[in-house]
Amino acid sequence: MQKIIFIMLFIFSVGSLCAQEEKKVETLKDVEVRAARVINKPDGRTIIPSTQQIAASSSGYSLLNKLALPFIRVDEISRTVTALNQKGTVQIRINGIVATQNDLVSLDISSVKSIDFIESPGVRYGSDMAYVIDIHVKRPQSGYMVGFDGVNSVTAGRGFHSVFAKLNHRKSEFSVNYDFSYRDLNGYRTYEKAHYQFNDGSTETITRADESSRESNFNNNIQLRYSLADSASYQFQATLSTAFDHVPNDFQTQLITTDINSFQAHSSNQSNTKTPSLDLYYFTNLSPRQSVTSNVAGTYISSEMANAYDEGSPYAYQISGQTYSLFGEVVYENRLKPFTLSLGINGNMRYTDNEYRGDVQAVNKLHHGLLYLFGDLKGKLAKLNYVTGLGVSNQLYQQGDISYHFWLFRPKLTLEYPLYQFVKLKNTFEISQHLSQVANINDAKIRQNSMEWIVGNPQLKPNRVMENTLTLAYDKPRLGSHFDISYRMNRHCNLAEYIRTDDNRFLYTQANQPGIQMFYVMNDTRYDIIPDVLTANVTAGVYRFINHGDDYKHDYTAFPWTANIEAYLKKWTITAYVDNGWQFMEGEMKGHETNESYLSVSYRLGKGSVSLYWQHPLQNNPRMFSSELTSSYIQKENSIYSRDLGNMVSVNFKWELSKGRKYKTSAPSVIHQEKDAGILK
């Protein structure tokens, strides 16, 4: 870690010298450097990217990374955007509509007008939504664009590749995207040491150490889209997509050591998943201030899986299943002078039919339904910005003879007041709901090893989550610092439960238990050392977790932090990033994710760019995850290491060709797709 920090400081020093030289050159050429412009709004801010940020960006992910949004981490290699404060998910939209990974990769950066960073999403966005980022683009009226974006590791079997094309003619746009990603790694190693407490008071210790392994996944995704738009009145879009996910033959060979003997155990896994979906979207302006948006999407998931494990005795089972889902939403918006009013309703119906064969015998037929009504108001009273709303949801669930209805009133209120010219104080209070994953509520029972089993619990019910966050923000063009103080209470949530049977089998399941409390204080500070040339960002916090189970209480304190620095030197971009990994405690398990670090250098030439990424530098075999289980019946330590990801070097190449493209106004970019197959494994 000290070596990584030294490298970051070295790049910082070199970047500063180069940036200062760059600034002199720009001054001599009489070039005006403009910082990104920011317009404050009741629910966040609108950012107009600078010319330098646009010129240095090769995709939507690249542009978002250069904006250095508070508490936001953008991983250009994995193509992910996450919230550093763990408040929930980050939703990306393009012209107000949920965007896919394909949309961000194929985004024409030159068409970007502005970006809305919604720091206080209303209830219309649903629960577990930390931030919403809405990218506003101009719509081409003519011409075409084709391109390729590929990231491939030269030291490990890992890559993401996209080919895309768009054709515009007057009000119509036709587009096609093809994505291929793969992962074929054999350097993962797991080490586990477990202590089992038997009914007679004796203890058995078992260690499980990987000797060889393979982790593979091959994914193909095809997306076809047609849109028709008149910026003054309507927008229509139809998206048809199909994903094929294939795991050919994952395996693990482990050395098992007990108190009596040692032997080898082998596990294997194969699977195929097909996910076609159709999404229809329509937007219309009823008047200059009023609009209606509607969206309907259907998804089908077909899954086939085979698993085998022979610790103690042979054990094998197969799964085949289908999931059908239908989503619909209608939203009315009225932009009145004192405030903006949004009213809407959405619903989701899902049917899951999974059959387990072999050593697991189960047939799971699950019916789910969700009805959600909501209303939002956002506006300004004197200096006070406010966002307030109320959602009402009804969850329906049925599996065999078990069923329930869960009603929840979901209020949310955000108040923001400027204390001084550059200082704002904001408070957000909300009540939301947490739903267990579909897999956890089926009634299958699967053996994990010679001692442990995993058991679904159809009795699991949704629970309320209450959260209050106080934010103190200081924002100037070159310096921004945000402090969050937050308290979250997860009442009667589903937590892990370990059961010991009379014949000394250890069952893992989940049950609604008293709850989890989380309290944290976190700061995110950004400083433009040289505007549009050199930027540094640091995030650090203190998290306190208090877990109340039926028969236990555990607490834990974590100190997560991140740091990165980025330099824009004409056509070159240099980035260094490091963090100490997310740490948490949930139920009776304490977990620590890997510390991330990388160095990257990008060069942009016209419509193309080449980037080099060095991940986990100077780490030959980094620890990717570690955990500690402190149950009354099982005490377990687990660590996962990866030689593949240590010192991993990846190359990103992007190329675009466009001709005859003339822009008008915005166009949607949307797909709503179900991904949860409801399989317990």
Side-chain angles (χ1 to χ4, degrees):
M1 183 60 66
Q2 291 178 345
K3 293 180 179 179
I4 297 171
I5 295 174
F6 173 78
I7 291 175
M8 291 185 65
L9 292 174
F10 174 76
I11 292 179
F12 174 85
S13 302
V14 174
S16 298
L17 293 175
C18 295
Q20 290 173 8
E21 182 64 26
E22 173 77 7
K23 186 177 181 181
K24 292 179 182 178
V25 172
E26 297 291 356
T27 303
L28 290 174
K29 292 183 178 181
D30 197 26
V31 175
E32 182 182 5
V33 178
R34 293 179 179 267
R37 289 172 288 173
V38 177
I39 302 170
N40 291 319
K41 301 173 66 176
D43 56 355
R45 66 187 83 175
T46 296
I47 303 170
I48 302 174
S50 67
T51 303
Q52 288 83 350
Q53 288 170 332
I54 293 292
S57 301
S58 58
S59 69
Y61 292 105
S62 178
L63 177 60
L64 293 178
N65 189 39
K66 290 168 178 54
L67 294 179
L69 301 173
F71 300 117
I72 298 294
R73 184 196 171 197
V74 181
D75 189 333
E76 295 183 52
I77 292 291
S78 300
R79 298 175 177 177
T80 58
V81 182
T82 54
L84 290 172
N85 52 16
Q86 305 296 320
K87 288 183 64 175
T89 59
V90 179
Q91 188 180 87
I92 312 297
R93 296 182 171 227
I94 297 179
N95 293 326
I97 311 301
V98 178
T100 67
Q101 191 178 89
N102 286 332
D103 299 322
L104 291 172
V105 170
S106 61
L107 180 66
D108 183 358
I109 300 299
S110 63
S111 70
V112 175
K113 298 187 298 183
S114 62
I115 296 172
D116 283 343
F117 180 42
I118 303 175
E119 300 172 87
S120 304
V123 294
R124 66 168 293 183
Y125 297 103
S127 59
D128 194 38
M129 191 64 60
Y131 303 99
V132 175
I133 302 172
D134 193 358
I135 305 172
H136 297 279
V137 301
K138 297 174 289 185
R139 180 181 176 88
Q141 285 183 289
S142 61
Y144 67 85
M145 181 182 74
V146 295
F148 168 81
D149 189 306
V151 179
N152 207 81
S153 172
V154 297
T155 59
R158 187 181 181 190
F160 306 86
H161 305 280
S162 301
V163 179
F164 50 88
K166 297 180 181 180
L167 175 64
N168 294 88
H169 179 67
R170 295 183 179 176
K171 298 180 180 180
S172 296
E173 179 177 274
F174 303 86
S175 69
V176 58
N177 287 269
Y178 170 67
D179 266 5
F180 171 68
S181 63
Y182 73 95
R183 184 179 68 251
D184 196 359
L185 308 174
N186 56 21
Y188 275 95
R189 296 292 184 268
T190 300
Y191 177 82
E192 179 181 282
K193 187 174 185 178
H195 307 278
Y196 300 95
Q197 308 288 331
F198 292 151
N199 287 293
D200 60 5
S202 62
T203 301
E204 181 171 357
T205 299
I206 299 179
T207 61
R208 302 177 176 94
D210 285 357
E211 294 184 323
S212 62
S213 70
R214 183 193 185 193
E215 182 179 312
S216 58
N217 177 270
F218 300 88
N219 184 273
N220 293 271
N221 188 298
I222 302 173
Q223 179 179 292
L224 303 175
R225 175 176 293 160
Y226 169 73
S227 65
L228 178 68
D230 185 324
S231 61
S233 55
Y234 66 86
Q235 298 175 3
F236 168 76
Q237 181 171 277
T239 303
L240 176 64
S241 64
T242 303
F244 304 91
D245 191 79
H246 178 49
V247 175
N249 186 27
D250 282 9
F251 67 84
Q252 279 181 300
T253 300
Q254 292 184 315
L255 177 63
I256 311 297
T257 304
T258 70
D259 295 335
I260 302 173
N261 62 350
S262 298
F263 59 92
Q264 275 192 338
H266 184 82
S267 64
S268 63
N269 171 49
Q270 302 87 36
S271 68
N272 282 286
T273 305
K274 304 177 183 66
T275 314
S277 66
L278 175 64
D279 189 290
L280 301 176
Y281 165 86
Y282 183 72
F283 168 88
T284 182
N285 280 312
L286 303 178
S287 71
R289 294 183 179 274
Q290 301 180 80
S291 64
V292 173
T293 303
S294 59
N295 184 207
V296 178
T299 303
Y300 169 72
I301 303 175
S302 173
S303 305
E304 297 286 341
M305 185 179 297
N307 294 293
Y309 191 56
D310 64 358
E311 181 185 320
S313 61
Y315 186 84
Y317 64 95
Q318 303 79 43
I319 309 169
S320 60
Q322 296 82 37
T323 297
Y324 308 84
S325 69
L326 180 65
F327 169 84
E329 181 178 59
V330 177
V331 180
Y332 165 79
E333 184 174 273
N334 194 337
R335 296 174 293 278
L336 302 169
K337 286 186 177 181
F339 54 79
T340 296
L341 169 68
S342 298
L343 299 172
I345 181 173
N346 67 46
N348 187 16
M349 295 185 296
R350 180 171 57 194
Y351 172 67
T352 301
D353 183 2
N354 290 327
E355 180 181 359
Y356 295 75
R357 303 180 304 276
D359 288 325
V360 180
Q361 294 288 328
V363 176
N364 299 128
K365 297 181 182 293
L366 296 84
H367 296 265
H368 283 81
L370 168 66
L371 180 65
Y372 183 55
L373 297 90
F374 56 86
D376 269 323
L377 281 176
K378 61 180 179 180
K380 191 172 184 178
L381 290 173
K383 293 184 178 181
L384 180 69
N385 289 320
Y386 64 88
V387 180
T388 183
L390 177 66
V392 181
S393 66
N394 182 26
Q395 284 281 341
L396 309 175
Y397 164 75
Q398 181 179 357
Q399 181 179 189
D401 297 331
I402 300 173
S403 64
Y404 65 73
H405 291 251
F406 182 83
W407 284 94
L408 177 72
F409 285 87
R410 186 188 170 225
K412 184 172 184 179
L413 174 64
T414 299
L415 300 175
E416 181 183 85
Y417 189 81
L419 299 178
Y420 302 101
Q421 184 178 0
F422 303 109
V423 181
K424 295 181 295 185
L425 183 66
K426 180 176 70 175
N427 191 83
T428 299
F429 172 82
E430 68 174 308
I431 295 176
S432 60
Q433 65 182 7
H434 173 75
L435 304 176
S436 177
Q437 292 183 354
V438 179
N440 292 326
I441 58 177
N442 72 38
D443 55 6
K445 186 177 182 180
I446 299 173
R447 196 181 89 180
Q448 300 297 291
N449 51 50
S450 59
M451 291 289 186
E452 300 174 51
W453 299 68
I454 182 170
V455 181
N457 181 7
Q459 301 286 352
L460 284 176
K461 292 180 172 57
N463 66 277
R464 291 173 173 83
V465 181
M466 182 184 71
E467 184 169 8
N468 193 83
T469 303
L470 182 67
T471 302
L472 182 64
Y474 176 83
D475 283 299
K476 293 189 71 175
R478 290 184 59 181
L479 175 64
S481 186
H482 291 235
F483 282 91
D484 269 6
I485 302 175
S486 184
Y487 171 78
R488 181 187 301 173
M489 180 61 192
N490 231 343
R491 290 185 179 276
H492 305 298
C493 58
N494 52 292
L495 295 175
E497 183 177 64
Y498 294 86
I499 302 171
R500 183 179 61 196
T501 64
D502 293 337
D503 56 352
N504 287 321
R505 290 187 298 167
F506 298 86
L507 310 182
Y508 164 85
T509 187
Q510 292 191 7
N512 291 100
Q513 299 183 56
I516 299 177
Q517 299 178 69
M518 184 181 77
F519 174 80
Y520 73 83
V521 179
M522 200 165 195
N523 172 257
D524 182 287
T525 298
R526 169 198 53 82
Y527 180 57
D528 293 338
I529 302 168
I530 301 176
D532 282 330
V533 178
L534 190 63
T535 299
N537 198 93
V538 176
T539 303
V542 179
Y543 279 73
R544 180 70 173 171
F545 303 90
I546 303 175
N547 295 263
H548 295 269
D550 290 331
D551 56 0
Y552 65 83
K553 179 182 177 182
H554 298 300
D555 53 68
Y556 178 63
T557 303
F559 302 90
W561 59 266
T562 71
N564 73 283
I565 185 167
E566 194 155 31
Y568 312 109
L569 311 173
K570 286 189 175 179
K571 297 181 180 181
W572 294 89
T573 302
I574 304 173
T575 305
Y577 174 90
V578 65
D579 67 40
N580 67 337
W582 171 239
Q583 307 152 54
F584 63 93
M585 186 164 195
E586 182 173 337
E588 297 187 275
M589 190 188 78
K590 184 190 306 180
H592 188 176
E593 297 178 358
T594 179
N595 60 295
E596 293 285 350
S597 56
Y598 69 84
L599 304 172
S600 70
V601 178
S602 301
Y603 180 76
R604 186 163 179 80
L605 181 62
K607 287 290 185 178
S609 66
V610 179
S611 303
L612 185 68
Y613 297 87
W614 182 21
Q615 294 177 266
H616 296 285
L618 307 180
Q619 299 180 71
N620 294 324
N621 191 28
R623 184 175 63 183
M624 308 309 298
F625 182 77
S626 64
S627 65
E628 180 181 346
L629 177 63
T630 56
S631 168
S632 301
Y633 303 126
I634 307 174
Q635 295 80 49
K636 186 187 298 186
E637 296 176 358
N638 183 287
S639 297
I640 302 175
Y641 297 85
S642 175
R643 295 195 308 269
D644 298 300
L645 302 184
N647 282 307
M648 187 171 73
V649 178
S650 302
V651 177
N652 173 221
F653 173 72
K654 182 168 185 179
W655 170 82
E656 290 180 3
L657 174 64
S658 60
K659 186 175 181 180
R661 289 171 72 79
K662 296 180 180 179
Y663 294 96
K664 190 176 181 181
T665 53
S666 62
S669 183
V670 61
I671 184 170
H672 182 95
Q673 186 181 71
E674 187 70 53
K675 296 183 179 179
D676 191 346
I679 293 177
L680 186 69
K681 55 185 177 179

